[in-house]
Amino acid sequence: MNQNLENKLKEELYELKNHNLNRTIDDLRFINPTKAMNKDGMEYLVFGTNNYLGLTHHPDVIEASKEANDYGTGSTGSRLTTGASFGIRELEKNISEFKSTESALIFNTGYMANLGVIYALAKENDIIFSDQLNHASIIDGTKISKAKVKVYKHKDTVDLENLILDELKSNKELNLFIVTDGVFSMDGDIAPLPELVEIANKYDCCLIIDDAHATGVIGKNGKGTVEYFKDKTGKDLSKYVDLQIGTLSKALASEGGFVTGKQFYIDYLINKSRPFIFSTALSPSTIASANTALKLLKENSKRYLNDLNENTKLMRKLLNNGGLTVVDGETPIIPIIIGPTDLTNKFSKELEKEGILVSAIRPPSVPKGESRLRLTVIATHTKKEIEFTAKTIIKIWNKLKKENMEIKLNE
Ligand SMILES: *Cc1c(COP(=O)(O)O)cnc(C)c1O
């Protein structure tokens, strides 16, 4: 054992604790998509899941997952050896149909999809332009690729274009990539896809968009960012987006990731993407859950999306009326900026005492001084649950504000 290493790691952990930044795991058991129980049997109302349509507990999804267990509880190998079930291929077909693309490929998580796509495609001498607030899995994908990475200011297409022009001056044989979240996971805002498409076309860039929080969440049928802008502008941008990445773990109630786009990209990834090649395929029951959730989404999209939007609007309105600093937006990711980390932790603890779980998001997930509660609303929250939660949040905020002022006055 290396004593020096042990001391160093322990010191780092101590520093994290000291700054209220250490992470711990709280075990939960979900009774339904909005209610969960802890080990002591305490029940909580949860406003923090990615289970946007509440499909994790839909009887059809559960039944499909049980039935698929008849084909074995594990997939037995990588897709390229023995792990390729009929279900995965069917799901890929359904995803590419849903997204109106040629083909799709399933990865084991959304995280692995980003890694597997970005570092398979972007090579030495290539350049990746990446939004400043992209998800960690995109950042990690760009880091392990051999390409040069240029981070542009959040949603700032002027900055992006300037960075591209700067790079083009050196005029090498290189491929350019633009990578962005569709819906940004921490702020819940939406990427400026029409402008990104324009730039990608002008400079011949491969445009990759990660719709993890957009699939099943935005667009009138839940098809994601491309559909959202089609509803808004009437223009169908699908053929200008090279690859759309997504996850099965959020609105699709299961786990796994996917990428969808032209067939040659998918063929290339099957041959070259290490996270795809060297990992065991997902189990039949995991795939069956996702497939059934997607089927339900296709059949009921209007109703699901309507419920989700109504709930989102109601929660945003109540919190705004209560005087909280809510980051403006349209998605069910509702960040409430608190600022100091300790105050944010306290807020989340107080809510827990009232039986409500909302995640406190702290650095390094968000910049220093921007700690926040990240509240997510789902389609199956009831109006009563939303009203109760908004009221409780406002009550606690007023109490904490008052206490904080008193502390400052006494200083
Ligand atoms: C959640 C998320 C992922 C990771 O998906 P998993 O399936 O949970 O690994 C990737 N990208 C974005 C934008 C996400 O929000």
Side-chain angles (χ1 to χ4, degrees), residues 156-381:
D156 187 338
T157 48
V158 175
D159 189 39
L160 169 63
E161 190 162 8
N162 284 335
L163 289 176
I164 293 176
L165 287 171
D166 255 4
E167 291 300 328
L168 286 181
K169 277 186 204 140
S170 55
N171 200 17
K172 280 177 249 139
E173 274 288 307
L174 41 76
N175 294 313
L176 305 182
F177 293 82
I178 299 173
V179 191
T180 181
D181 280 15
V183 169
F184 287 88
S185 54
M186 288 304 133
D187 288 351
D189 51 345
I190 301 171
L193 191 62
E195 288 88 347
L196 291 174
V197 162
E198 208 178 300
I199 292 178
N201 285 345
K202 192 163 161 192
Y203 300 102
D204 232 351
C205 305
C206 171
L207 179 57
I208 302 176
I209 160 166
D210 177 358
D211 257 0
H213 286 286
T215 305
V217 181
I218 61 170
K220 65 179 191 296
N221 295 296
K223 293 184 182 187
T225 309
V226 168
E227 188 183 44
Y228 171 87
F229 282 104
K230 192 176 174 194
D231 299 344
K232 226 180 155 105
T233 66
K235 277 208 192 104
D236 180 5
L237 300 173
S238 59
K239 69 168 183 285
Y240 302 110
V241 179
D242 288 84
L243 291 166
Q244 296 180 55
I245 288 172
T247 179
L248 309 175
S249 68
K250 290 178 175 141
L252 295 178
S254 183
E255 57 198 43
F258 64 81
V259 58
T260 180
K262 287 225 164 78
Q263 186 64 48
F264 75 89
Y265 279 124
I266 304 304
D267 290 340
Y268 188 82
L269 292 170
I270 291 172
N271 284 279
K272 294 283 189 176
S273 179
R274 295 167 68 86
F276 171 78
I277 300 168
F278 293 106
S279 194
T280 299
L282 293 168
S283 74
S285 88
T286 301
I287 294 297
S289 317
N291 225 338
T292 308
L294 178 60
K295 183 167 161 271
L296 286 166
L297 168 57
K298 283 180 181 173
E299 288 167 2
N300 306 289
S301 58
K302 292 271 174 346
R303 177 160 61 87
Y304 289 172
L305 269 292
N306 186 56
D307 288 352
L308 185 59
N309 280 328
E310 291 289 306
N311 284 351
T312 298
K313 275 190 206 141
L314 177 62
M315 181 61 99
R316 284 182 175 277
K317 190 182 86 185
L318 293 174
L319 291 175
N320 273 321
N321 290 349
L324 282 128
T325 315
V326 177
V327 176
D328 219 16
E330 306 164 59
T331 69
I333 299 172
I334 308 178
I336 307 173
I337 307 289
I338 308 297
T341 303
D342 48 348
L343 193 60
T344 312
N345 285 341
K346 203 163 164 192
F347 206 137
S348 150
K349 286 267 150 39
E350 294 274 328
L351 273 168
E352 194 179 319
K353 277 191 219 148
E354 304 269 357
I356 300 168
L357 292 187
V358 176
S359 322
I361 308 283
R362 309 158 300 175
S365 303
V366 291
K368 240 182 171 168
E370 289 184 30
S371 287
R372 63 192 64 187
L373 294 177
R374 179 179 173 282
L375 189 136
T376 54
V377 169
I378 72 170
T380 58
H381 279 123

Side-chain angles (χ1 to χ4, degrees), residues 91-105:
L91 177 58
E92 287 169 345
K93 196 171 140 266
N94 292 339
I95 286 171
S96 63
E97 260 172 37
F98 185 61
K99 294 273 188 179
S100 305
T101 50
E102 276 180 28
S103 189
L105 187 67

